[in-house]
Amino acid sequence: MRQRIFGLIVKELLALFRDKRSRFVVIGPPLIQLIIFGYAATFDVNRVAYAVYDEENSGTSRELLARFEGSRAFRCLGYIHSNGEIAKVIDRKKVLLVIHIGRNFSRNLFASPPARIQVIVDGRNSNTAGILLGYVNQIVEDFNASWLPLHGIKPPAGVLRPRAWYNPNLESRWFIVPGLLATLTLVVSIVTVGLSVAREREIGTLDQLLVTPMRPWEIVLGKVIPGFLVAMGEVTLIFLAAIFWFRIPFVGNLLALYVGLAFFSLAVIGVGLIISSISMTQQQALLGSFFFLSPAIVLSGFSTPLRNMPEVVQWVTLLNPLRFALVVVRRVFLEGAGFAEVWPQYIPMALIASISLLAAWGVFRRRVG
Amino acid sequence: MRSGLVRFLALWKKEWIQIWRDPASIAIGVVLPAVLLLIYGYGISLDSLRLPIGVVVENPNPLTASFVAGLERSRYFSPEPYGAIGGAEEAMRDGKVEAILWLWSDFTRRGLREGNAPLSLIVNGVDANTARLLEGYFQGVWSQWLQWEANTSGQPLLLPVEVESRIWFNPALESRHYLAPGVIVINMTLVGALLTALVIAREWERGTMEALLSTPVSMAEILWSKTGPYFVLGMGGMAVCVVMAVALFGAPLLGSVWVLSLASALFLLSSLGMGLLISSALRSTFLASMVAIVATFLPAFILSGFIFDIASMPEPIRLFTYLFAARYFVTLLQTIFLAGNVWSVILPNLVALFLMAAFFLGNAWRISRRSLE
């Protein structure tokens, strides 16, 4: 019996890896995606183009503007000379920001502060706009804090000194790349396992399998184990790339990470097998995988925080194994967590894994019976 | 010529019957977009409200109490008092609070005497974006409180320069307004490529393509009859999405519906074309579906500017995004929805979509025709 399952595992792995194209599809895209998305998926706001409309053009206004030029977040694209041009450059997305300094800026600054500067922001991407405004306020705040003592005036009572734990420079790459480790593992496992049974059904080899002395649960196991091996191989590959290519700090317990991702991939394989056994054709299996995959990624906290979702949606996410895997990956990578901190995340993933694998076995047995 | 038309109509009818008998296609075309839009519309939000923040005040007095009350009034924070910094740090490690405000014992004294006393704000930096927004919100609450305190104490607050911000297109900075158009793009990418990716590959795999080719039908006719019905289905899904985005999520639709329809049609053609190209080139449903997933969903999610701003990406990646139709469609939809008919943005992006559609459909035709010989 053990030999039978072993034979099935070898057959599955051969089916995946012997064909050059399918071998490439399993190994290539996850790595390519990791590299591309690791660089692309950033919330950091860098080198944002802005234009200046300086009606006064005095020493003081230039002093303030120099602070914008010195900031890494901004990149001056040029000067404009009329109100009408503001709409032109913003509507056409030439710049995201226009800094408008009025004609009486210095006079107001010295005679009747506060002197106002106007900042016009393109709000089409509200996240970028919010962060940009934060940067603008920070720069003006700094200008104020240094201007006041120079002119012998007592500054406001306090000044904000923020600092960040775990990710001191607030690089979103440190947040996204470990997330991709779990997300890409999900994509690969769901696609390889999710299509496997449906494909065998469509080309007729499932019937051949069923006339062998193998029991349904043996066949299911013969699908689960190769999928698991492929997923763990994928995890290792992506993990190494995250550490050595992206130089994401890894300060936690490696074993705690692997145990978590093992539970995760079993849960995903279970879901994939259910989809695959329910589907009559590969097209249906693909659709089913997609129907699971895209909400699973969106409602996981991968890109937008779970806390921002309505409460009902937050309950729904409790069914999503990716949600728990992301917590494990990020806490172990960045916060230095070990088993003591992440074990509560294992339980729901283990539950999802056992329920879905049992259900897959049930569906499969009924389908073939 | 007439027989050509009859042939074409017959093929077209065959495709429709095939779609009609396999309810999955209709589900993908119309039901799936509606469901996904619902999930994404509610699920994706970058507006953080009521962030839990630990507050440690070492030397409580009326001044600090008044600031903490200001923090409580803000819709962005829900403060949680802690007696000492140790307890607050533990809460942050357990993920109970996202940040800690730590007012040292000499804060008030220093602040009142010389000013610029440090307000120590420790944030959990793992989610860098939320952390950065949190810092911004906090700065806002602090400045507001300073103003309010100055007004009540009768001492005018001296701020040399003040920023007056005007946010265009989305004054309340509601992330839902810019995400809704993006969600439509993700939806339509999925639908378009998925619907077709498997169609041609399936015919090759089952051998029915040979059967079709032995008839007098030309390759172009086969491809058009494959694209047409799915195009109609996809446009139906698109209409459902737009109506939901406007009615349910309150996304303003400032531009014209005609421009929107034209953009959608071009985008659908290009993603259907890509699906056809993938399946004609690979001829295996397994590979075609792998490539369809890899080449559509994740790029539309990450490389299109839907959530992550393209301008902030490194140069090589930014150039790479030009290869994806979703990028142009996201720009078009965000502009049409939030800014109106800005032709200088709309025209180049429409042209780009047209070229992509022509490229994919043309190559799908070329590859399938070559494999005939």
Side-chain angles (χ1 to χ4, degrees), chain B residues 350-367:
Chain B
L350 280 181
V351 170
L353 276 185
F354 175 77
L355 290 177
M356 294 206 91
F359 171 82
F360 282 127
L361 288 172
N363 273 302
W365 175 67
R366 200 174 50 87
I367 286 184

Side-chain angles (χ1 to χ4, degrees), chain B residues 7 25 50 84 99 115 170 185 265 288 294 301 304 311 320-321 334 355 368:
Chain B
R7 271 205 312 265
S25 319
R50 288 181 302 283
N170 187 358
V185 175
V294 166
F301 193 63
S304 65
F320 190 63
T321 63
Q334 283 185 354
L355 290 177
S368 340

